[in-house]
Amino acid sequence: MLFQVIRKEIKVLFASYIGWGILAMFALVMGVLYTQSLSEYMQVMLGHVPTVEQIGLTKYIGANMFSAASLLMLMFIPLLSMRLLAEEQKNLTMAFMLSAPISLAEIVLGKFLSLLSFLMLMLAYLVLIICILNLWTDIDFGYIFANVLGLVLLIASFSAISLFISSLTRQPILAATLSFLVLILFLFVDQLFEQQTNTIWASLSMMQRYKSFAVGLLNTADIAFYVLVSGAFIFFTIRKLEHQRVYG
Amino acid sequence: MVNNITVEVKTVSRVYQARKVVNALSLKLEQGKTLGLLGANGAGKTTTMKMMAGHLMPTAGAIHICGIDITQNPTEAKALIGYLPEHRPLYKELTVDEYLEIAARFHKLSSHRIKQSIAYVKECCGLTDVGKRVIEQLSNGYQQRVGIAQAIIHAPMVVILDEPTVGLDPIQIRQVRSLMREIAQDASVIFSTHLLPEVEMICDDVHILDQGHTVYQADIRTLQHHMQTRSLVAAFKRPTNLQALYQLPNVLGMHHQNEHTVVIQYQHASPAEALVTMAVQQDWGLYLLNEQQSTLEDVFIQLAQPS
């Protein structure tokens, strides 16, 4: 049944303009950044622009594109997740799924995975245009793998948090705005408490965790952090819907 | 399934924000029967139906669908139910076929059965020609039919329809009522309404709710017996003799609605013909004679009065 929920969500997403619109915007921004980074790299290689250190093509282009992708996700995920629960509750279409023999856990997991699948499409496009460079030069696949894994874990956490916020209100715009603010808080929480020596804020910051992936490092503590955050917020969302069934 | 009972509601209550929306409600429905849940707005009809459909948990009591407790085993029980809420849960950006296919897949129909079921419900609900159209572009009546089609696509044992005729024009109401009669041939149907004539036309059993309480529960014949007292509204140009009107057959009582208009309560057969004859003989100038339909309010008043 999980697959059927994912299928339905993807179908509804592509039946509206929002799915296509977000894909087009992502492709456009990434395309512009890609060509720009490539031409900048050529300038560096030709010695027109002096550099402090020698840097590989994968790292040069990858660093720009992966960090831009993570920021784009920060905007896209609240927009996509607001539809998943807040809009369904506002339009009273949630009853369609609640009437079917599907458990609440399957509904929430299905919605989460459908969002993740859609975002994976964008990620696949990003990886494809970077890997295409392998036709002309050697690409550091290890670096790309670490970045992709980091980005997947980051967007999974973003999606789970946004999905939970989407379950809290029937107002899609409010859900998207709240999600955006909460995600920013999670990303940069360490910078808010920069003066304090307490490392707890740094360990909660998603950006700090993402930085190790961005330089090509795989740290199991960081992986566990993202998995735990995603799992916890999916669990909270299921509990919220159960609470609604009992008391709502 | 025991004794062909498809729905059994046992002293179910639902508390919402410290207010009892449904209070110790009990009912039973047999296979192939139609139950009308009747009540004014806020009587607790929608909450009761949401509990039967498994959307809300009862605060107390139990609901069994074909012997399965919907609170304990919601997924098993929901597989036997088709539900259309008051607000149609339609994804309006999809076509009718796409929407029905999703509904069929959610109810675990095999790929082979999906096509057959979609074709069948489209034929039943008169949607054959609009399968490829986007739901948003359909009229209100057609959208309601799509809503009903998704509720019956898996041939459920119990079909729950919340105010299925609200907002439809008279022709669409007639079509939806006839569709409900067809559905009731195979499944048990529960529907809510605040229109008494609708209940008389379709139901086998009636359950009247008021502020979450059951005020009346019987089969339709018993209700019709309660509704035997009806009224005639007559307007005269010249003053009338009320005492003379009491001579008319079957008259129980009367009162002046205004200076010219009299409301005459009667039982069994209408005294309209005798009234016209009398008005002509006495030269009262009868210019209006109208049979008044019993309203839900009348029935409530009737039921509240000891016989």
Side-chain angles (χ1 to χ4, degrees), chain A residues 125-238:
Chain A
Y125 168 77
L126 175 62
V127 171
L128 183 75
I129 57 172
I130 295 176
C131 288
I132 270 179
L133 292 172
N134 200 46
L135 293 173
W136 298 280
T137 180
D138 284 337
I139 291 290
D140 182 352
F141 285 105
Y143 175 83
I144 292 177
F145 175 75
N147 267 277
V148 168
L149 182 67
L151 200 52
V152 168
L153 290 168
L154 183 74
I155 60 180
S157 309
F158 278 3
S159 302
I161 295 168
S162 293
L163 190 63
F164 173 65
I165 293 169
S166 183
S167 74
L168 299 178
T169 171
R170 287 169 188 262
Q171 301 303 322
I173 299 297
L174 181 66
T177 313
L178 263 178
S179 292
F180 183 68
L181 293 174
V182 171
L183 292 184
I184 285 186
L185 189 73
F186 263 99
L187 265 183
F188 304 112
V189 66
D190 58 320
Q191 290 180 21
L192 285 176
F193 301 93
E194 226 171 356
Q195 314 300 323
Q196 296 182 19
T197 47
N198 194 344
T199 52
I200 193 164
W201 301 116
S203 63
L204 277 177
S205 163
M206 290 202 177
M207 196 45 108
Q208 283 296 330
R209 299 276 182 184
Y210 182 63
K211 272 179 187 165
S212 62
F213 291 100
V215 293
L217 290 174
L218 295 185
N219 185 342
T220 43
D222 295 332
I223 296 173
F225 170 78
Y226 284 120
V227 171
L228 280 174
V229 168
S230 308
F233 278 94
I234 289 171
F235 176 72
F236 295 155
T237 315
I238 296 169

Side-chain angles (χ1 to χ4, degrees), chain A residues 57-76:
Chain A
L57 175 65
T58 319
K59 219 171 182 181
Y60 192 89
I61 291 185
N64 277 344
M65 297 194 67
F66 281 111
S67 61
S70 66
L71 290 176
L72 280 177
M73 295 298 179
L74 184 69
M75 287 187 285
F76 291 156

Side-chain angles (χ1 to χ4, degrees), chain B residues 1-10 27-31 62-74 76-78 80-81 157-158 188:
Chain B
M1 196 166 35
V2 184
N3 300 331
N4 281 346
I5 300 288
T6 47
V7 181
E8 190 172 10
V9 177
K10 294 176 184 169
L27 61 88
K28 271 185 190 178
L29 186 64
E30 285 174 28
Q31 189 176 9
I63 297 171
H64 289 99
I65 306 292
C66 300
I68 301 168
D69 189 326
I70 198 155
T71 315
Q72 305 292 327
N73 302 300
E76 285 87 340
K78 281 179 189 177
L80 303 168
I81 302 171
M157 295 293 288
V158 179
S188 300

Side-chain angles (χ1 to χ4, degrees), chain A residues 1 4-5 7-8 11-12 15 83 88 92-93 95-103 244-248, chain B residues 14 16 54-57 74-75 78 83 85 87 89-91 93-94 99 101-103 105-108 150:
Chain A
M1 287 315 284
Q4 297 305 340
V5 179
R7 201 170 182 268
K8 174 247 155 193
K11 200 157 199 167
V12 172
R83 308 179 70 255
E88 288 241 35
L92 303 166
T93 45
F96 179 67
M97 299 187 91
L98 292 178
S99 307
I102 312 170
S103 68
Q244 225 161 291
R245 193 170 159 239
V246 178
Y247 303 104
Chain B
R14 171 81 191 184
Y16 180 70
H55 289 206
L56 290 177
M57 286 250 284
T75 42
K78 281 179 189 177
Y83 176 50
H87 300 277
L90 303 176
Y91 294 98
E93 53 272 62
L94 300 179
Y99 179 69
E101 189 191 327
I102 291 171
R105 286 188 190 279
F106 275 0
H107 284 283
K108 299 173 185 171
Q150 65 81 26

